[in-house]
Amino acid sequence: MILVTKPSLPPKEKYEQYLAGIWDRQYLTNNGPLLRLLEQRLQDYLQVDGINIVSNGTTALQLAIRALDLKGEIITTPFSFVATTSSIVWQGCRPVFADIKPETLNIDPEKIEEFITPHTTAILATHVYGNPCDVEAIADLANRHGLKVIYDAAHAFGTLFKGESIYRWGDISITSFHATKLFHTIEGGALFASDRELTSRIQRMRNFGHNGTGGFDGVGINGKNSEFHAAMGLCNLDSFDNLLETRKRQHLFYYNQLNDLNLRFPETLDEVDWNRAYFPVIFDSENRCLQVKKGLERFQIQTRRYFYPSLNRLDYVDRQKAEISCNLAPRILCLPLYDELTLKDQMMITGIIRKILEKRPSQLPKQRSSAAGSISSCGLRVHVQSNGSLTN
Ligand SMILES: Cc1ncc(COP(=O)(O)O)c(C=O)c1O
């Protein structure tokens, strides 16, 4: 079975070394030494100010909205993970959807402007797949209209814009350190804010509102993360540069094998160096998308419709239009992508896709009747040529 994603794990012995320290200190959570070390190392690595690690990316979104004291309407993207919208609703605000640009799949700044009303307090935009939004246009808009900006940068660890971390943009950028993310702490997330007072407020809010002197300063929640999670992050950070390099190679391979077919891939803005967190493919129709998905499933290759459905279709938001997002969401598929994915796996995946799209399904190997084992261990003879083509 080839999964759509797999978490990267450090050598077990390396993690165990951190565990030994945790056992010695018996300090398991509550802003412990490993968590503080990870915050420091992330600040140095990413060259950002004002970091607060929290329990996950969703909590980070909710804290961001709360810390900025947002009310009323928040203009957001319909093409993102459900947590982007649900966090707005959870915080008692109304999500207003501005459609996306078909080229980048990110929120369209021109559409944002159309939806600004006296009730608008902020923009919450996602760097979809780790590919940055037009942050300059959004900053300009926000300044002109006195709006706050939050970036859902859950996918964007390692992405640079003009040579600097994309986390530097917005009043607050949040990220997710979930196990499926490029950099992870098993579960986890973080908020980045360059404003010191805002960073301190978030720090209090993630810890019940404790002000550090025994009292409370405002309402808070439990958004803390543990020493065990921090230890995983410290291990993973050491290998992140290598992982990023592999990812770029894998991405390029997919692209080279597929770019002559009738497919589209998200475009990036100038001066962007993005992390290639995902490999999304845009098909010309939903039918074709599902045909490829099912065709790959016959070979036990998993893909993911991500993001689907368009968030303006959620039953807990007011009915709103977002034609581009509604049109694109049903015909996008993310292909398997993770550190251990081999060139051979990629050749097989792209070979099968080519056969399906070139309408030569009869040349595909016969469908297997049982779902047991991996492709190479269940007797299926799929020969992948060096050019990625497939024969039985
Ligand atoms: C764009 C986006 N925002 C927010 C989240 C939520 O992050 P978490 O799973 O850490 O709560 C995710 C998770 O996949 C995501 O993809």
Side-chain angles (χ1 to χ4, degrees):
M1 179 93 186
I2 298 181
L3 299 172
V4 69
T5 184
K6 260 191 193 178
S8 42
L9 283 166
K12 210 163 141 207
E13 308 72 50
K14 186 167 181 173
Y15 189 65
E16 280 168 352
Q17 281 175 9
Y18 283 106
L19 291 186
I22 295 174
W23 254 254
D24 285 345
R25 287 185 294 277
Q26 302 195 345
Y27 196 137
L28 309 188
T29 185
N30 285 16
N31 210 21
L34 294 183
L35 190 109
R36 279 179 277 129
L37 177 61
L38 180 60
E39 286 187 334
Q40 188 54 56
R41 284 199 49 204
L42 286 173
Q43 268 187 298
D44 295 344
Y45 180 78
L46 298 163
Q47 293 290 295
V48 289
D49 306 317
I51 182 173
N52 270 290
I53 291 180
V54 294
S55 43
N56 56 60
T58 307
T59 304
L61 278 167
Q62 293 168 5
L63 279 169
I65 295 168
R66 188 81 185 205
L68 291 169
D69 200 20
L70 301 180
K71 307 266 189 301
E73 296 176 357
I74 298 178
I75 299 179
T76 187
T77 174
F79 192 68
S80 183
F81 185 63
V82 67
T84 318
T85 297
S86 65
S87 299
I88 295 174
V89 177
W90 195 260
Q91 290 306 123
C93 298
R94 177 174 180 256
V96 173
F97 296 101
D99 214 342
I100 54 173
K101 282 179 95 71
E103 300 84 12
T104 62
L105 308 180
N106 282 325
I107 196 165
D108 182 343
E110 283 181 23
K111 302 259 172 58
I112 295 176
E113 191 137 33
E114 290 170 24
F115 287 102
I116 296 173
T117 72
H119 304 293
T120 311
T121 53
I123 299 163
L124 199 177
T126 299
H127 302 305
V128 174
Y129 306 128
N131 174 24
C133 300
D134 190 345
V135 286
E136 289 178 326
I138 292 173
D140 175 56
L141 255 178
N143 286 338
R144 280 193 282 117
H145 293 275
L147 303 175
K148 300 290 184 195
V149 178
I150 299 172
Y151 283 110
D152 181 340
H155 297 173
F157 195 96
T159 287
L160 306 178
F161 177 58
K162 296 194 170 174
E164 293 184 334
S165 170
I166 198 67
Y167 293 153
R168 294 173 72 96
W169 287 83
D171 293 280
I172 300 177
S173 260
I174 75 91
T175 197
S176 166
F177 296 151
H178 181 255
T180 54
K181 301 293 185 283
L182 231 52
F183 168 79
H184 78 87
T185 61
I186 310 170
E187 289 278 358
L191 298 91
F192 303 91
S194 51
D195 183 285
R196 274 171 183 243
E197 170 44 32
L198 188 54
T199 301
S200 309
R201 194 176 319 142
I202 295 165
Q203 196 169 23
R204 292 192 296 276
M205 282 183 159
R206 75 171 176 182
N207 187 23
F208 308 103
H210 275 301
N211 64 9
T213 60
F216 296 93
D217 189 354
V219 67
I221 57 168
N222 181 355
K224 293 179 275 108
N225 211 332
S226 81
E227 291 292 276
F228 296 84
H229 294 85
M232 181 59 78
L234 287 164
C235 293
N236 285 337
L237 191 55
D238 286 339
S239 49
F240 184 73
D241 285 340
N242 287 340
L243 189 141
L244 201 56
E245 220 172 275
T246 306
R247 188 55 62 102
K248 287 182 178 177
R249 244 192 348 260
Q250 292 168 325
H251 213 271
L252 188 64
F253 182 83
Y254 267 147
Y255 182 76
N256 286 339
Q257 294 295 310
L258 298 174
N259 77 353
D260 61 329
L261 296 170
N262 187 22
L263 299 170
R264 261 199 330 110
F265 309 95
E267 293 170 22
T268 57
L269 300 176
D270 290 343
E271 299 187 79
V272 160
D273 180 6
W274 73 297
N275 60 8
R276 279 84 164 173
Y278 298 86
F279 194 88
V281 178
I282 309 171
F283 295 86
D284 60 353
S285 70
E286 181 174 15
N287 267 352
R288 190 90 67 210
C289 173
L290 295 177
Q291 194 186 4
V292 169
K293 184 170 177 50
K294 286 190 187 124
L296 288 168
E297 273 165 14
R298 288 175 55 215
F299 295 94
Q300 307 211 3
I301 298 167
Q302 193 184 51
T303 56
R304 185 172 180 197
R305 300 184 88 186
Y306 196 58
F307 306 102
Y308 180 81
S310 185
L311 297 172
N312 58 315
R313 293 268 162 91
L314 290 169
D315 63 5
Y316 52 81
V317 300
D318 310 337
R319 273 191 172 275
Q320 293 170 56
K321 277 193 183 160
E323 281 171 15
I324 299 171
S325 176
C326 288
N327 176 291
L328 286 169
R331 50 191 179 96
I332 297 178
L333 217 50
C334 284
L335 300 187
L337 197 55
Y338 48 88
D339 203 40
E340 284 175 16
L341 188 76
T342 64
L343 193 63
K344 199 170 162 218
D345 293 335
Q346 287 194 275
M347 282 179 170
M348 172 143 54
I349 294 163
T350 52
I352 293 171
I353 294 173
R354 291 195 75 84
K355 284 275 188 290
I356 296 169
L357 293 181
E358 288 166 354
K359 297 199 181 68
R360 287 187 282 147
S362 60
Q363 289 179 25
L364 285 170
K366 292 264 181 299
Q367 182 175 354
R368 279 172 293 162
S369 53
S370 105
S374 69
I375 286 175
S376 55
S377 70
C378 58
L380 185 73
R381 287 204 300 275
V382 181
H383 301 292
V384 183
Q385 309 300 312
S386 56
N387 64 1
S389 67
L390 200 74
T391 56
N392 334 349

